[in-house]
Amino acid sequence: MARVRLEHVTKTFGSGGGEVRAVDDVSLDIADHEFMILLGPSGCGKSTLLRMIAGLETPTSGDVFIDERRVNDVLPKERDVAMVFQSYALYPHKTVAANIEFPLKARGVGKAERAEQGRQAAAMLGLDTLLDRKPGQLSGGQRQRVALARAIVRHPAVFCMDEPLSNLDAKMRSETRAELVELHHRLNSTFVYVTHDQVEAMTMGTQVAVLSDGRLQQVGTPQEVYAAPATAFVAQFIGTPPMNVLPPGVLGGDSVRVGFRPEDARLVSPTAPDDGTTLPVTVRLVEQLGHEVLVFVDCDGARLVVRQPAGSGVPAIADPVRLSVGEGVRHHFDATTGERVG
Amino acid sequence: MRRRWRDVPAAAALLAPSAALLGVFVVYPLARAILLGTRKCNVSGRVCKTVGWHQYVTVWRSAPFQNALGNTLRFVAMTVPIGLVLGVGLAVLADKQLRGIGVFRTIFSSTIASSVAVASLIWLVLLNPQIGLLSHLLKDAFPVVKKPGLLNDGGTAMWGVAISSIWAGLGLTFVIVTAALQSVPRELYESAFVDGAGAWRRFTNVTLPMLSPTLLFVAVVMTARAFQTYGEIDLLTGGGPNSAGRPTETIAYLIYGKSSKIRNDIGIQSATAVLLFVLLLVVSFIQFRVLERRVHYAE
């Protein structure tokens, strides 16, 4: 049970000319039992933000609250947080059981109770039969579960996870995504999860906070962020493939950039009458994905992508066609600030 | 099978250079020394007669050898644990991201650049009962440093040699352990920190296990070096003080030292050298067997 609140948090590294502003005036309210995803490209400051919540970094300015308690100067162990690292950070010389029990040992929990709670955490993640192994004898997915078991063993109020799935193969990753969601339902904890993978953000998060260059771009449910991106950056970061954003002046005024989702546009015959909603484009690449087709086209030097269901007429490469973008599916962004204007 | 035989000449040709080098500089001298150990020679070393393998037993049982063996073991027991603990301690202290830490790293590793001779002379002066700075500073706490002097007292002379030797070896231990510390993943410390482990628990649960292969290596190298200590003894005590019955005469010094009793008998010298070699072999083997069980090698 914990609400995490960041108020005007800034973190800089280095000083003088070499100063780097990793996190720039971020305010974020994470409700109790939320599954909050911190999403952004590498170097956007999301990991630094997470480390400030966990207590591994101290904010340069601003405050971090956990349940109304200001924790800027509180040691991690007194914050009731657990952290899962991208590298898992398992102790290679300890058995799986000893790894899982370590947080309890560090807190002076007795041996028998430690073993009991360790077994429970291991059982929850299906590690029962691996307790005597060393991490070196486990697969990537198993190691990842041990790291999770070690995090849940002491029932922390807040779970911090720093890209915990990026070292897994694609199949394992999608399996573990579902398990993490289930784990979040079962545990009464707040999850804060860092990733650069928008698929993870869309599938697991109850809330998504998108960051870029240390600044918070948008906070909302995955659906909100997808349906109404607050900036052109968010629009182009979320979705596979992401939103097309046209250069200023195309389909709109000179101060506006028009964006549209790949699935919201259609390719039409070049001889179709121009009613002001179509653009002349040239087909550059066609990707057959089985259930759908991605058509990449050039429009005045801009590369756009259109998603079509499989089976519909697919144009050939170098074909001149027209791209139809209905009024209702357009997003408008300010050409200079990138902010949504309608 | 036929194919294998055809490869023999080529294999022999490729092996020949290293086999020749090993043969000339290792195998032949070793065999020669083992054989020499069965002979007894006159002062000039020109007239020798074979007295047989039992000379090894005679040497082992002789009073000078037993004395030197005891001194050597005492010296190893003094220098290896203390040198290891100090080296690890300094390396952990210097393994911080602090301004100016490079200065300390340079200072701590500086003894690597000083030879045994230089180190011994520094300590010979520092411990000199008349002019030595340390003798002056410690004269109230330890009167022995003034009278008769740390190196002149039978009970403390070996400590004087050990201090000099530990100091001289500290730089190497520090550099090796520092390098090993830097290869420990930071997340392990951070994870333990978030999990509530204090500094000491992080040291015993992360640092020491991750360092263990390095520590085993350093311990074996330090032990082998300590068993063969010669320079410090030669410069600081010459095996003496003689009045106390040669309490700092190590096996290596017994073999070749200026004032050694067996200095003029190449047969007995060889026998002693071979015994030292066998002793070191056994000790290193035991160290690897015993310590290896407690050592973690990262996968």
Side-chain angles (χ1 to χ4, degrees), chain B residues 78-92:
Chain B
M78 286 173 181
T79 54
V80 175
I82 296 179
L84 207 54
V85 169
L86 283 180
V88 172
L90 284 183
V92 170

Side-chain angles (χ1 to χ4, degrees), chain B residues 1 6 34 39 57 84 98 101 117-118 160 167 183 193 215:
Chain B
M1 277 314 264
R6 240 190 295 153
I34 292 172
R39 292 159 77 83
V57 182
L84 207 54
L98 294 177
I101 198 72
V118 172
W167 182 85
S183 69
F193 186 47
L215 294 185

Side-chain angles (χ1 to χ4, degrees), chain A residues 51 56 75-77 81-83 85 87 89-94 102-103 105-107 136 150 154, chain B residues 99 185 187-198 201-202 204-206 209-210 296 298-299:
Chain A
R51 290 167 63 85
L56 289 169
L75 283 177
K77 67 168 178 173
V81 296
M83 179 125 169
F85 293 83
S87 64
L90 300 178
Y91 308 115
H93 54 283
K94 291 184 192 291
F102 184 76
K105 191 177 162 191
R107 283 176 159 67
R150 185 175 64 182
R154 61 191 169 84
Chain B
R99 199 180 295 262
E187 292 94 46
L188 286 184
Y189 290 110
E190 291 181 344
S191 177
F193 186 47
V194 173
D195 285 340
R201 205 180 278 278
R202 289 202 296 278
T204 55
N205 281 274
V206 179
M210 298 305 282
H296 154 75
E299 276 80 10

Side-chain angles (χ1 to χ4, degrees), chain A residues 167-181:
Chain A
N167 287 354
L168 300 179
D169 62 50
K171 183 166 171 289
M172 199 66 219
R173 211 179 301 167
S174 69
E175 281 174 29
T176 316
R177 279 206 307 261
E179 283 180 41
L180 278 175
V181 171

Side-chain angles (χ1 to χ4, degrees), chain B residues 67 71 74 154 157-158 161 233 237-241 245-250 253:
Chain B
N67 175 51
N71 291 340
R74 217 151 44 90
M158 193 57 111
V161 180
I233 309 283
T237 64
R246 306 196 60 72
T248 61
E249 185 166 71
T250 56
Y253 193 77

Side-chain angles (χ1 to χ4, degrees), chain B residues 14-91:
Chain B
L14 288 169
L15 280 174
S18 38
L21 280 175
L22 270 176
V24 170
F25 291 108
V26 178
V27 180
Y28 173 73
L30 184 64
R32 190 65 203 268
I34 292 172
L35 278 179
L36 262 177
T38 65
R39 292 159 77 83
K40 194 158 175 53
C41 303
N42 73 349
V43 181
S44 70
R46 288 205 196 99
V47 186
C48 294
K49 62 174 195 281
T50 302
V51 292
W53 294 101
H54 72 265
Q55 176 156 274
Y56 280 100
V57 182
T58 318
V59 168
W60 177 272
R61 287 186 182 150
S62 69
F65 184 85
Q66 285 296 318
N67 175 51
L69 177 62
N71 291 340
T72 306
L73 294 178
R74 217 151 44 90
F75 182 76
V76 170
M78 286 173 181
T79 54
V80 175
I82 296 179
L84 207 54
V85 169
L86 283 180
V88 172
L90 284 183

